[in-house]
Amino acid sequence: MKKILNILIILIIFGACTEDERDLSFADSIVAPTNVAATYDITQDNTGKVTITPTGEGATSFKVYFGDTTPEPAELAAGESVEHIYQEGTYELKVEAFSLNGKMTATTQQIVISFKAPENLTVTIENDQSVSRQVNITATADYATMYEFYSGETGISQPVTTANIGETLSYQYQSPGDYDVRVVAKGAAIATSEYTATFTVTEILQPVDSAPTPPTRNETDVISIYGSAYTNVAGTDTFPDWGQGGQGSSWAEFDLNGDTMLQYINLSYQGIQLGSSQDVSGMEYLHLDVWTADVDQLETSLINISGGVTTEAPVVNDLTKDQWTSIDIPISDYTAQGLTVSEILQLKFVGIPWASGTVFIDNIYFWKSPSNTSSLSVQDFEGATPTFTSFGGAGVEVIANPDMSGVNTTANVARLTKGSGAEVWAGGFFEITSPLDLATYSKISVKTWSSKQGAVVKLKLENQDASITHEVDLNTTIANQWEELVYDFSGAPTADYVRIVIFFDFGNTGDDSQYYYDEINLVNDTGGPQPLVFQDFEGTAPAFTVFGNIAGIDVIPNPDATGANTTANVARLTKTSGAEVWAGAFFETGSPLDFNTYSKISIKTWSPKQGAVVKVKLENQDASVTHEIDVNTTVANQWEELVYDFSTAPTADYVRVVIFFDFGNNGDDSIYYFDEYTLTN
């Protein structure tokens, strides 16, 4: 009843808005939940007891209508389940999912309760055509509600996964081969129905998709060696077989639907002979895209002939199997070894393990960042003060900078006061005289000052009549000092945006806190190294260490391959009931994280709780140097990408990555998923 009353109050507020406030509420910024469904676990004891768990992307609460004579639905928060006793029969289970602002999406599912053993079990098992060693399973049966899949692998807990009857599930094996698989269909009866077969799991030994498309670059910023992205300025190249005696090493050009790339087999000692020597001393990175199913590392050497003397230097990079690995090697990694790079004539590749496996390489080029990052000031509050419109209980004014330090020493700033009891969506906006040039500039930077670390700062753009809008959320990473937040509007619909709206601590009621912002600029910074994934759980799983009385971390097939993360495998962390508020886990990297090239770490996370603190901490080998950052989840029951800014971390060789979910709260058996650790800028 309380939830219904809250929704009615919100609707009354919306109805009372004036015409000038029509676009200011958060109703239009939060969409109705999607992918609404329910999973159920039925007790096999002829009692008809079913545990029902509703799910939905963007849902914060649910109503479950059981489809029998039960008069009232069960009301659940995201992540909760409900138990219900059914009589034998077929029922239409209805789930209503509600977003934060009360928008609703409904779905119905049929649930069959029978105390007869499942009959007519039909199972389809197929190898996935794009994911190596992944099988897709579908099972149907009369009188069944769910099924279990037993992979037939030794040393792995069985069953490996479950699904509702009629649904398709996916599972990725560690190795190809023949396996005795088993599918068990279950209903409300004690008896089950089983399917067994010997199935051959296959692996994909060549890429099924092209390498990522390189970014557009000025001709002066790139020296292309191989690939179709840029003009090959190195002349006619040859690809000699430098294989070490009798290793069977060879190379060829592999054609993937018209996209040509290099293919090395039993890679021992091979490479590229340039048509003419190249001076790469003005470049910053050597880029190459690599795909392999069975090679762990690639050693890439530059060979120089300066002054007629041949010298070389190697750099080793880890490879992620069964997908493209984009590598950007700093030229400084070669010059630090004493190599002169003014006359590079050859590139040499060595596979690790040596002389084994197959490696595909594409898009080989040297590159540097553009000479400067262009920006255009939108508002700095130093001239005529813009006309502010505030809403929801907030107030905005321009004042003298109260903290002229750090990244902002300008004279004037804007102050937003979120009054006590102000709406969770309280904020303010001003309008500009000409539309923002998002065709030239793709990002907007704002310098902000907040007394709260981890507060959501929402930036929203609108055209004149608010018929087209786009908004981006970022979290503050520090408290009581200035920082620069950079919002990516490259995905905004084309429009003449003239209204800039800002919300501080979005999602929380006002408490008289004051926030400051300044230096709103259009930014175009397409240069810089490509993001580098250093752990994606697709190869050999790292060794996790857990603490604080939580269960062990395990790597499992992605249970929600939608939205921001459609990869095959993810890590699962269960914060066991009663676990410490600081419970978490860590793993160690093979080499120190490269914070000379990169300043941030992005992680894709899935949480049943919106607003939960996800703390990431870095440590050197003996934990004598550490640095940690908190970021809050902004959605529930769906993947999102959290970005942690480590630009202020003390200089150290960070090799340990620690993660804490719902930091500050005791465990309650909630399950969290994380994936795709990426170094970025």
Side-chain angles (χ1 to χ4, degrees):
M1 191 68 191
K2 182 178 179 181
K3 295 179 180 177
I4 295 174
L5 182 60
N6 288 340
I7 294 170
L8 289 174
I9 292 172
I10 291 172
L11 292 175
I12 293 170
I13 293 172
F14 290 161
C17 288
T18 66
E19 179 64 22
D20 289 340
E21 295 172 328
R22 70 200 182 285
D23 58 317
L24 306 180
S25 79
F26 70 123
D28 292 335
S29 66
I30 302 179
V31 299
T34 58
N35 295 328
V36 178
T39 59
Y40 22 83
D41 186 12
I42 192 163
T43 303
Q44 292 178 263
D45 57 2
N46 291 357
T47 64
K49 181 179 178 181
V50 182
T51 301
I52 303 167
T53 305
T55 58
E57 296 179 16
T60 58
S61 62
F62 299 90
K63 289 183 180 180
V64 177
Y65 296 82
F66 300 106
D68 57 8
T69 58
T70 304
E72 297 293 333
E75 297 190 25
L76 306 173
E80 291 182 339
S81 302
V82 61
E83 293 181 348
H84 190 71
I85 303 295
Y86 282 97
Q87 300 300 313
E88 279 193 288
T90 300
Y91 302 91
E92 293 295 323
L93 180 77
K94 181 180 178 182
V95 177
E96 291 180 347
F98 298 89
S99 61
L100 180 65
N101 61 347
K103 292 184 179 180
M104 188 269 286
T105 301
T107 188
T108 58
Q109 294 178 199
Q110 188 178 86
I111 181 170
V112 177
I113 305 299
S114 173
F115 300 143
K116 297 175 64 177
E119 298 177 357
N120 301 320
L121 173 60
T122 301
V123 177
T124 301
I125 305 177
E126 298 176 328
N127 283 291
D128 194 279
Q129 297 302 302
S130 59
V131 181
S132 186
R133 305 182 310 282
Q134 177 172 299
V135 296
N136 303 319
I137 307 100
T138 305
T140 60
D142 298 331
Y143 314 122
T145 57
M146 52 86 69
Y147 68 97
E148 299 173 334
F149 176 65
Y150 294 76
S151 67
E153 297 168 288
T154 59
I156 295 179
S157 177
Q158 304 286 334
V160 292
T161 185
T162 63
N164 291 342
I165 202 76
E167 295 181 352
T168 299
L169 61 82
S170 298
Y171 178 75
Q172 188 176 38
Y173 283 78
Q174 294 295 317
S175 304
D178 292 336
Y179 293 90
D180 294 328
V181 302
R182 185 161 61 103
V183 172
V184 179
K186 295 183 176 182
I190 296 174
T192 62
S193 181
E194 295 191 10
Y195 166 92
T196 59
T198 299
F199 185 79
T200 301
V201 177
T202 61
E203 62 180 343
I204 298 173
L205 298 177
Q206 62 191 39
V208 295
D209 296 307
S210 296
T213 302
T216 301
R217 300 186 187 277
N218 297 324
E219 290 185 4
T220 56
D221 296 332
V222 65
I223 297 176
S224 180
I225 304 302
Y226 181 85
S228 59
Y230 309 114
T231 302
N232 186 342
V233 299
T236 303
D237 302 331
T238 58
F239 309 97
D241 181 355
W242 294 334
Q244 302 298 294
Q247 296 302 321
S249 181
S250 64
W251 75 273
E253 285 194 292
F254 174 74
D255 190 315
L256 176 63
N257 301 320
D259 179 16
T260 302
M261 60 194 69
L262 299 176
Q263 178 182 9
Y264 294 101
I265 299 174
N266 296 330
L267 184 55
S268 58
Y269 187 143
Q270 293 178 304
I272 297 176
Q273 176 80 33
L274 305 185
S276 60
S277 62
Q278 297 296 312
D279 182 357
V280 300
S281 58
M283 297 290 112
E284 297 174 347
Y285 300 92
L286 168 63
H287 177 91
L288 55 159
D289 291 306
V290 184
W291 193 101
T292 183
D294 44 21
V295 175
D296 296 328
Q297 295 177 308
L298 180 70
E299 178 184 283
T300 305
S301 297
L302 295 184
I303 300 177
N304 184 67
I305 60 165
S306 179
V309 178
T310 301
T311 55
E312 67 176 88
V315 173
V316 176
N317 294 97
D318 293 333
L319 301 179
T320 300
K321 295 177 182 178
D322 304 320
Q323 68 182 60
W324 286 100
T325 302
S326 292
I327 297 173
D328 287 281
I329 305 172
I331 300 301
S332 59
D333 284 2
Y334 293 106
T335 57
Q337 300 180 58
L339 182 69
T340 301
V341 295
S342 58
E343 296 183 48
I344 299 300
L345 186 62
Q346 296 171 337
L347 280 71
K348 185 183 75 175
F349 304 125
V350 175
I352 304 172
W354 185 72
S356 65
T358 302
V359 174
F360 298 82
I361 304 178
D362 201 3
N363 299 328
I364 306 171
Y365 56 86
F366 297 92
W367 65 277
K368 65 177 180 179
S369 303
S371 56
N372 56 63
T373 299
S374 59
S375 64
L376 178 67
S377 176
V378 176
Q379 181 58 251
D380 61 6
F381 308 116
E382 299 303 326
T385 301
T387 301
F388 290 103
T389 300
S390 55
F391 50 87
V396 185
E397 60 183 331
V398 173
I399 65 168
N401 187 345
D403 183 12
M404 296 178 64
S405 64
V407 299
N408 190 20
T409 58
T410 62
N412 298 325
V413 300
R415 176 174 64 188
L416 184 148
T417 302
K418 196 168 181 179
S420 179
E423 303 294 343
V424 297
W425 40 266
F429 74 80
F430 65 89
E431 295 186 349
I432 55 180
T433 56
S434 57
L436 294 169
D437 182 9
L438 293 182
T440 304
Y441 304 91
S442 61
K443 299 179 182 179
I444 296 178
S445 64
V446 184
K447 293 180 180 177
T448 65
W449 191 103
S450 166
S451 58
K452 302 177 182 179
Q453 185 181 42
V456 175
V457 184
K458 181 189 292 289
L459 190 65
K460 182 178 182 182
L461 303 183
E462 301 178 350
N463 66 345
Q464 190 63 59
D465 63 358
S467 60
I468 303 176
T469 69
H470 192 74
E471 59 190 51
V472 179
D473 288 353
L474 290 178
N475 293 72
T476 61
T477 64
I478 53 178
N480 300 318
Q481 58 182 293
W482 286 101
E483 67 176 324
E484 185 172 51
L485 302 180
V486 181
Y487 296 79
D488 188 349
F489 279 90
S490 59
T494 301
D496 289 336
Y497 294 108
V498 294
R499 185 176 299 155
I500 301 174
V501 194
I502 196 165
F503 312 75
F504 279 90
D505 201 20
F506 185 85
N508 292 317
T509 305
D511 57 3
D512 278 334
S513 291
Q514 294 183 339
Y515 306 90
Y516 305 95
Y517 60 103
D518 195 13
E519 298 286 312
I520 302 174
N521 295 324
L522 286 165
V523 179
N524 186 358
D525 59 348
T526 56
Q530 296 298 302
L532 177 64
V533 178
F534 63 90
Q535 182 54 255
D536 61 5
F537 308 115
E538 300 302 328
T540 302
F544 282 102
T545 300
V546 299
F547 50 88
N549 298 317
I550 64 170
I553 305 296
D554 53 353
V555 174
I556 65 168
N558 189 343
D560 183 11
T562 61
N565 188 20
T566 58
T567 62
N569 296 328
V570 302
R572 175 174 62 186
L573 183 150
T574 302
K575 194 165 183 181
T576 312
S577 179
E580 303 294 344
V581 298
W582 41 265
F586 69 82
F587 66 91
E588 294 188 347
T589 59
S591 57
L593 296 171
D594 181 11
F595 283 120
N596 293 320
T597 305
Y598 302 92
S599 61
K600 300 176 182 178
I601 293 177
S602 68
I603 305 174
K604 293 179 180 176
T605 65
W606 191 104
S607 164
K609 303 176 183 179
Q610 186 180 42
V613 175
V614 184
K615 181 191 291 290
V616 171
K617 182 179 182 181
L618 302 182
E619 300 178 351
N620 66 346
Q621 190 62 59
D622 62 0
S624 61
V625 183
T626 68
H627 195 73
E628 60 190 53
I629 295 174
D630 291 350
V631 176
N632 291 71
T633 61
T634 65
V635 294
N637 299 316
Q638 59 182 293
W639 286 102
E640 67 176 324
E641 187 173 44
L642 303 182
V643 180
Y644 297 78
D645 189 348
F646 283 94
S647 58
T648 60
T651 301
D653 288 336
Y654 293 108
V655 294
R656 185 174 298 153
V657 185
V658 196
I659 193 165
F660 313 75
F661 278 93
D662 200 21
F663 186 85
N665 294 315
N666 287 111
D668 58 2
D669 281 333
S670 290
I671 297 175
Y672 305 88
Y673 305 97
F674 54 103
D675 197 13
E676 298 284 311
Y677 281 78
T678 305
L679 286 165
T680 185
N681 283 316

